Amino acid sequence: AFAGCSELTAINLPDGVLTVEEYAFANCTKLATVDLGESLVSIGNRAFWSCTALAAIDLPDTLTTIGEGAFWKCTGLTALEIPTSVKAIGNLAYYDCTGLESIKLHDGIETLGEFIFVTDGSTLKDKIDLSNLAEDSKVREYVDAMADPAKVEADTTADTAA
């Protein structure tokens, strides 16, 4: 829809919009302000890929799915809080988000893709707040396995093949 609009600086989605489609705002390098409204359910694959000026995004409590590579290479993002409504995060969703300093997850995430929080060949494990994750949760196991990216790949591949 707006992919590659190099002069787009802000978007404000009206309530009633349920999905941001694949590549909708990809490579909008000056996009700095995003309001996703109060009814969004899904962010498509690579929807905000390479939106390098995007420093923050408030994900609505209605969101259930973050697609593959949805925020890939959003290097300006500094903090991320995944709402409790989110059940699935796709492969590479926040890959190469080199500016991320704070990541907050929750135990209700049912599907975690491969290499979600990887940048420059290493993980962002040390940026993830574990305080609200149960000791025996699948999400904590995923984060713990991030120390070994090969183990993350093997574990998530087994999950998706089942």
Side-chain angles (χ1 to χ4, degrees):
F2 294 94
C5 289
S6 60
E7 299 303 313
L8 184 66
T9 59
I11 59 169
N12 184 357
L13 297 180
D15 291 344
V17 173
L18 300 178
T19 302
V20 174
E21 297 292 338
E22 289 185 353
Y23 295 96
F25 300 99
N27 208 29
C28 293
T29 55
K30 292 184 182 176
L31 182 61
T33 305
V34 174
D35 180 346
L36 295 174
E38 296 299 322
S39 54
L40 192 70
V41 174
S42 176
I43 297 174
N45 298 343
R46 294 175 181 77
F48 293 96
W49 172 73
S50 201
C51 291
T52 54
L54 188 61
I57 190 157
D58 187 17
L59 301 173
D61 290 335
T62 54
L63 188 65
T64 61
T65 305
I66 299 171
E68 187 173 300
F71 295 93
W72 185 341
K73 206 173 180 94
C74 289
T75 55
L77 279 179
T78 58
L80 173 65
E81 183 169 349
I82 303 294
T84 57
S85 57
V86 171
K87 301 299 180 204
I89 302 175
N91 298 336
L92 307 165
Y94 293 92
Y95 188 84
D96 212 15
C97 291
T98 55
L100 274 175
E101 291 295 323
S102 169
I103 303 166
K104 189 169 185 178
L105 303 174
H106 64 85
D107 283 332
I109 303 169
E110 298 168 0
T111 304
L112 292 154
E114 295 178 17
F115 306 112
I116 296 171
F117 301 110
V118 175
T119 185
D120 296 329
S122 62
T123 71
L124 296 173
K125 179 181 179 177
D126 61 330
K127 309 296 183 187
I128 298 174
D129 177 359
L130 300 175
S131 65
N132 63 331
L133 297 176
E135 290 296 324
D136 61 347
S137 78
K138 179 180 177 179
V139 176
R140 184 179 283 270
E141 287 176 18
Y142 178 89
V143 172
D144 288 345
M146 286 175 67
D148 180 359
K151 182 172 176 11
V152 172
E153 181 177 12
D155 287 351
T156 55
T157 301
D159 287 349
T160 57

